[in-house]
Amino acid sequence: MRILVTGVGGQVGGALVPRLQKLGTVIPIDVDTLDFAKPDGLAEAVARLAPDLIVNPAAYTAVDKAEDEPDLARAVNATAPGIMARWAAARAVPLIHFSTDYVFSGAGERPWREDDEPAPLSTYGATKLAGDNAIRAAGGGGLVLRTSWVYAAQGKNFLRTIARLARERKELRIVADQIGAPTTAALLADAVAAIVGDGLDRLRARCAQAQGLAHITASGETSWHGFACAIVEGLRARGVALAVEKIVPIRTDEYPTPAQRPRNSRLDLTRLHQVFGLTPPTWQAALAPELDQLAGELTAAR
Ligand SMILES: NC(=O)c1ccc[n+]([C@@H]2O[C@H](COP(=O)([O-])OP(=O)(O)OC[C@H]3O[C@@H](n4cnc5c(N)ncnc54)[C@H](OP(=O)(O)O)[C@@H]3O)[C@@H](O)[C@H]2O)c1
């Protein structure tokens, strides 16, 4: 099986490659091989690579910058995935694509279900939703996996930002009124490997059963403030020297950003469990190995 994996320099793409290499021949794609910002010729390029399966975590993920670069964000997040999806659908090649909690408005308290009406607050969220719709409209065996708050021991993310700030500052002020589930790239890659590992026919059947859309995050929920506290406690427990003494919970309006984020980012995992048989670990359990890795890196660098 030839598995085309995009965004291999990113968090999820980087985690997918070693896992999918156990299941087939991975064709790793980065922005230099296929630039999604230039969708012309994309279908022909994919055809030359002749994949049996496409896994697409590549995306324009700079949420705030997207407010100033809507055309680029739309090309990468919607136009290019739509082209790949139409190519794949015409050949019955399954496509697994990643999307986001930012397609939702963040109203209410209950976890968002797959059939809830999206209403993105940001350009990033709108372009990701356009990608979801393009893939589902292609009508093939596509699967859009919506996730939230992705991080890894490596990469540019909240975990590494908090680890840096906690070493530099005595006080951190962190948003406490946005609720969601921090989700590791490893958890997502393990889930994709499990889904693909049952074979492409089973994958096609389950994608159809899921109507091409499923939510996937770690289990449980917290705020960014709760996540930051767990990171600091976890790093300290692993012997990392930190300057931070106080982590102050603040409201979203005390930390203004160009792009608006949903307050309620909870995603309902019922379909993931019922259709794919997956019950993700809690966010705390998934955090532990990332903290082990990061603490190892930070203590070795001392
Ligand atoms: N990060 C989150 O918190 C989060 C939350 C919910 C959903 N998601 C979704 O989960 C998926 C994976 O996210 P991630 O955290 O792994 O993102 P990431 O670390 O930012 O990686 C994105 C990848 O996309 C590539 N890319 C960007 N522009 C491209 C272009 N023009 N052509 C081809 N490739 C391009 C990047 O390449 P370069 O490294 O070369 O730029 C990078 O490898 C995305 O679909 C994202 O929307 C992420």
Side-chain angles (χ1 to χ4, degrees):
M1 171 167 54
R2 289 169 62 78
I3 311 171
L4 190 153
V5 182
T6 66
V8 294
Q11 303 189 92
V12 176
L16 279 164
V17 170
R19 288 160 175 87
L20 294 178
Q21 274 170 339
K22 293 181 186 146
L23 303 174
T25 304
V26 168
I27 312 161
I29 299 296
D30 61 16
V31 66
D32 298 326
T33 333
L34 289 183
D35 185 354
F36 284 14
K38 299 170 190 152
D40 289 349
L42 185 58
E44 294 73 13
V46 172
R48 280 194 293 277
L49 297 168
D52 304 303
L53 167 69
I54 300 174
V55 186
N56 181 42
Y60 181 108
T61 55
V63 175
D64 289 316
K65 211 168 154 200
E67 297 300 319
D68 294 327
E69 296 185 328
D71 294 343
L72 178 57
R74 187 164 291 273
V76 177
N77 290 346
T79 311
I83 291 169
M84 283 198 299
R86 287 189 288 280
W87 181 90
R91 291 154 188 85
V93 169
L95 168 82
I96 299 176
H97 174 82
F98 289 87
S99 185
T100 171
D101 52 319
Y102 285 15
V103 301
F104 292 114
S105 70
E109 301 294 328
R110 76 159 171 79
W112 294 97
R113 291 193 285 258
E114 287 83 353
D115 50 10
D116 283 328
E117 196 59 44
L121 303 171
S122 63
T123 299
Y124 167 74
T127 61
K128 291 295 292 184
L129 176 60
D132 299 3
N133 291 340
I135 287 166
R136 299 183 77 198
L143 176 64
V144 175
L145 292 174
R146 284 188 184 141
T147 187
S148 68
W149 300 17
V150 178
Y151 71 100
Q154 300 297 325
K156 244 176 92 177
N157 54 53
F158 187 81
L159 167 62
R160 288 194 75 97
T161 300
I162 294 298
R164 176 174 55 77
L165 294 176
R167 281 176 288 145
E168 293 171 359
R169 298 185 190 174
K170 284 192 171 174
E171 181 177 299
L172 304 182
R173 295 168 59 76
I174 309 290
V175 169
D177 59 0
Q178 292 171 28
I179 306 297
T183 300
T184 60
L187 182 159
L188 296 171
D190 284 343
V192 169
I195 292 170
V196 171
D198 290 338
L200 293 187
D201 287 340
R202 185 108 171 87
L203 173 63
R204 285 186 194 93
R206 283 165 151 177
C207 290
Q209 203 187 336
Q211 297 163 50
L213 181 60
H215 290 168
I216 176 166
T217 67
S219 299
E221 63 183 52
T222 188
S223 65
W224 291 110
H225 177 265
F227 187 25
C229 291
I231 292 167
V232 166
E233 276 167 33
L235 288 176
R236 264 213 178 101
R238 288 164 175 79
V240 179
L242 301 175
V244 72
E245 291 167 3
K246 205 168 162 195
I247 308 177
V248 181
I250 62 167
R251 294 187 313 273
T252 296
D253 60 15
E254 294 176 87
Y255 185 75
T257 51
Q260 222 186 318
R261 271 104 173 136
R263 297 283 174 96
N264 171 23
S265 271
R266 299 167 180 92
L267 296 179
D268 186 289
L269 303 179
T270 308
R271 186 175 289 179
L272 182 77
H273 183 68
Q274 286 180 345
V275 176
F276 297 98
L278 296 175
T279 305
T282 62
W283 67 267
Q284 295 95 330
L287 173 60
E290 306 300 324
L291 287 175
D292 290 343
Q293 194 181 327
L294 181 55
E297 180 194 319
L298 296 177
T299 49
R302 270 212 305 250

